[in-house]
Amino acid sequence: VANVAPSSGHEGTLVTITGTGLRGNGTRVSEVRLNDLIATLLSESDTRVVVSAAFGAAAGVGDVVLEADTGALVTSTNGWRYVPTAVITSVLPSSGQRGTRVTVIGTDLLAGASELAQVQLGGANATLVSANNTRVVFAAGDADPALLVSLRFVMNTGAVVTEESAFTYLTRGVIDSISPNVASAGARV
């Protein structure tokens, strides 16, 4: 194994392993373990393997182990580090509608990545304002009202941070009439 990139991450992180003889003289890589957890194998060749990091790991450093269909093992000692699981401590406000500016506070919110690529609130894309490892600010997207929805952050590495039941979409306001409907600049409406 010549390289593991990135060499750290969290659930869902897309990891590319490069080198030579990664199939261990077999016809395919049958399993990949990152720090003793089986990763989801996405593609493989004798020089490049791409996996998605598994869920459930405690933070720590461990080996990258590729197992070939022959049973041969190709190992990168201490080649992968699971970062601590993100912890969301607050979502403020916890309710609103499209355009509501929401602030999420927590730890390890970027899941070892350098950038937050996408924010979803109840499946609706939100507009990212700012993000770092302890604070994310975004404007809520458009979704059905009166729903308690989950929050989902997707990093540039593919890592995912999710918080269930994080936000309630409120019923949208409706303007029934405007009076007066014609006025000059500065008039009170």
Side-chain angles (χ1 to χ4, degrees):
V1 174
N3 191 40
V4 177
S7 60
S8 65
H10 171 288
E11 170 195 359
T13 299
L14 298 177
V15 182
T16 302
I17 304 158
T18 55
T20 57
L22 299 180
R23 290 180 171 163
N25 292 317
T27 59
R28 65 182 176 83
V29 172
S30 58
E31 183 177 276
V32 177
R33 291 186 299 282
L34 301 174
N35 196 6
D36 290 329
L37 286 178
I38 298 172
T40 302
L41 184 60
L42 301 174
S43 66
E44 61 84 30
S45 71
D46 206 35
T47 58
R48 184 174 186 264
V49 175
V50 178
V51 298
S52 177
F55 172 76
V61 176
D63 297 344
V64 175
V65 179
L66 291 78
E67 185 172 341
D69 56 352
T70 61
L73 301 177
V74 176
T75 303
S76 174
T77 304
N78 294 328
W80 173 256
R81 180 177 66 87
Y82 271 104
V83 298
T85 300
V87 175
I88 293 175
T89 55
S90 68
V91 177
L92 296 171
S94 60
S95 62
Q97 55 188 328
R98 185 185 79 197
T100 299
R101 191 178 193 126
V102 180
T103 301
V104 177
I105 304 294
T107 57
D108 301 304
L109 297 178
L110 296 182
S114 61
E115 181 180 319
L116 176 55
Q118 183 182 42
V119 177
Q120 291 182 327
L121 198 53
N125 287 330
T127 303
L128 182 62
V129 175
S130 64
N132 63 42
N133 224 19
T134 59
R135 184 172 188 248
V136 175
V137 179
F138 61 90
D142 200 16
D144 292 330
L147 290 178
L148 182 61
V149 297
S150 63
L151 170 64
R152 185 171 191 254
F153 296 156
V154 181
M155 308 312 146
N156 62 332
T157 61
V160 176
V161 172
T162 303
E163 180 78 6
E164 298 299 324
S165 304
F167 186 84
T168 301
Y169 271 100
L170 301 175
T171 302
R172 295 178 192 101
V174 176
I175 297 173
D176 291 329
S177 67
I178 299 175
S179 179
N181 61 2
V182 176
S184 59
R188 190 172 215 149
V189 179

